[in-house]
Amino acid sequence: MRINTKYLTTKDSDLREAAEIIKAGGLVAFPTETVYGLGGDAMNAQSSVKIYKAKGRPSDNPLIVHISEVEDVCRVAGIFPENARKLAEAIWPGPMTMVLPKRPEVPDETTGGLDTVALRCPASDVARKLIEYADTPLAAPSANISGRPSPTRWEHVRSDLDGNIDAVIMGEPCIGGIESTVIDMTLPDSPQILRPGLITPARIGEVLGIACGYDSALEGIPDLQMRPKSPGMKYRHYTPRAEMRLYRGEPEKLRESMSEDARSLRAQGKQVGTIVYEDGRQAAQNLFKDLRQMDDEGMDVILASALDDSEEINYSVMNRMLKAAGYVVKEI
Ligand code: TXA
Ligand code: MG
């Protein structure tokens, strides 16, 4: 059944209206500094069920729970270890999600049946006001149809979810552009990154004074047989409709090879788009928007230059580019 999706502004009275929708068990898409989220009351099982349904998301892929201040961790997590508190105080509000043991009041529908919960306090003022007005933590995955690139503009949310959710807050474009770093803090002395993002292992190491590494599930190609600690990592996300090919190698040769391939594809009558980024932050900010734009323009093939992933932010962006390209890389 289609519903009439409301488009709300970021003014206070609209945010209060959005909060009422959430309290009544409805779904509202809202901006964060990373990507737009599809929010519902995290403590209401039925709201979480609705989120999975609206996105077409597998129900074993748990949702991130958003809070508006550090102290609210205790409303959702059973334990708040010292190291987790240190990270929260240093980095929140910001693009970091921590996995902690959950309180029994958090419904299984929100955590995909896990006994842990992923928590984050977003940097966006609009997001934090909405959480505060709703007076409940918000479960919010990225506000896209499952498998599509995450939305970094409210228009992306409209194109995926119009008619399926109660409201969209028309906020600013997201400045981060890729989803938050997810860190497993269930063993607080051995933090581990389950999903790379703009908060890097170096930054976490600096705050805690201990080494922080990546989960081994991040190496290699995901498949549905995997049982990674972060269930989301076994799925192939971010697929544009166009076929995407990644090129890696010495910059000059790489550009030559890309334009040669573009010429020959065009000679075959194909629409070809190209993506070349200067640095990791610019790439993070633009990747999902560019993939969606090329789909809208009807591109058949996207040729993209890989980033040197020895640098940590580049590594986070490459995690998404590899998924988008189905792990096919042409070495030059
Ligand atoms: O930046 C973000 O994190 C955005 C915005 C809206 O805040 N949200 C987002 O949510 O990316 P989503 O649902 O698309 O991604 C959630 C990720 C998935 O990979 C999921 O497996 C992991 O977090 N996750 C959630 N709960 C978990 C848990 N208890 N243990 C391990 N991983 C968990
Ligand atoms: Mg997502």
Side-chain angles (χ1 to χ4, degrees):
M1 197 190 66
R2 275 187 79 77
I3 41 185
N4 186 18
T5 304
K6 273 194 176 168
Y7 287 85
L8 301 171
T9 70
T10 57
K11 68 176 189 222
D12 220 55
S13 55
D14 277 14
L15 297 183
R16 294 210 182 260
E17 183 176 345
E20 290 307 315
I21 294 174
I22 284 168
K23 282 189 192 174
L27 303 186
V28 177
F30 62 94
T32 82
E33 76 281 24
T34 57
V35 301
Y36 272 70
L38 177 58
D41 179 354
M43 309 309 269
N44 177 343
Q46 286 318 308
S47 297
S48 293
V49 170
K50 275 195 200 166
I51 292 178
Y52 287 100
K53 216 170 139 212
K55 281 183 59 97
R57 178 180 174 114
S59 62
D60 68 344
N61 190 2
L63 308 174
I64 292 178
V65 176
H66 297 66
I67 53 178
S68 62
E69 54 184 35
V70 173
E71 285 323 311
D72 286 345
V73 167
C74 304
R75 286 170 80 167
V76 187
I79 313 171
F80 193 10
E82 186 53 37
N83 275 350
R85 183 177 281 278
K86 271 193 202 162
L87 281 183
E89 278 165 6
I91 296 170
W92 282 349
M96 173 188 74
T97 296
M98 290 194 289
V99 175
L100 290 170
K102 82 172 183 80
R103 286 179 72 102
E105 298 90 313
V106 183
D108 282 342
E109 284 79 357
T110 301
T111 60
L114 297 178
D115 52 14
T116 53
V117 61
L119 273 163
R120 125 169 168 86
C121 176
S124 153
D125 290 341
V126 171
R128 286 203 316 284
K129 261 194 213 159
L130 176 67
I131 302 165
E132 198 190 309
Y133 294 166
D135 193 24
T136 184
L138 296 194
S142 48
N144 52 293
I145 289 176
S146 202
R148 296 273 298 140
S150 293
T152 58
R153 304 265 188 289
W154 68 263
E155 292 90 340
H156 298 161
V157 181
R158 179 179 59 188
S159 108
D160 278 17
L161 296 174
D162 184 66
N164 279 325
I165 62 176
D166 298 290
V168 176
I169 297 174
M170 301 180 293
E172 297 288 308
C174 305
I175 47 170
I178 58 171
E179 308 86 345
S180 62
T181 303
V182 177
I183 309 168
D184 182 3
M185 288 303 288
T186 54
L187 296 173
D189 295 327
S190 350
Q192 211 182 30
I193 295 194
L194 306 181
R195 178 175 74 181
L198 295 178
I199 301 296
T200 63
R203 175 80 179 108
I204 292 159
E206 187 185 284
V207 174
L208 297 182
I210 48 178
C212 172
Y214 290 111
D215 178 23
S216 59
L218 289 171
E219 291 157 25
I221 301 178
D223 71 70
L224 295 175
Q225 263 56 55
M226 286 170 77
R227 293 195 160 273
K229 283 190 209 134
S230 171
M233 300 315 291
K234 72 174 184 251
Y235 298 104
R236 287 192 175 189
H237 290 80
Y238 321 114
T239 16
R241 293 190 194 95
E243 175 201 343
M244 176 156 152
R245 300 183 193 168
L246 266 177
Y247 291 69
R248 182 158 47 200
E250 193 269 313
E252 203 164 313
K253 286 204 189 115
L254 182 151
R255 266 193 284 275
E256 256 169 48
S257 170
M258 268 173 74
S259 33
E260 222 168 84
D261 289 356
R263 262 198 305 278
S264 89
L265 285 162
R266 287 189 183 114
Q268 296 163 37
K270 302 233 195 239
Q271 299 282 338
V272 183
T274 55
I275 289 181
V276 180
Y277 297 120
E278 298 299 319
D279 68 79
R281 277 191 191 271
Q282 182 219 8
Q285 206 174 64
N286 292 291
L287 177 66
F288 292 144
K289 165 180 76 68
D290 290 344
L291 293 180
R292 281 178 175 266
Q293 191 175 327
M294 289 197 188
D295 275 346
D296 291 345
E297 289 166 358
M299 295 299 167
D300 300 302
V301 189
I302 301 170
L303 308 180
S305 135
L307 295 162
D308 164 17
D309 63 9
S310 57
E311 209 252 302
E312 288 178 330
I313 288 176
N314 292 5
Y315 175 83
S316 304
V317 181
M318 275 301 288
N319 171 269
R320 278 66 175 186
M321 288 183 108
L322 282 164
K323 284 174 193 269
Y327 295 86
V328 180
V329 184
K330 186 168 172 182
E331 304 285 348
I332 309 297

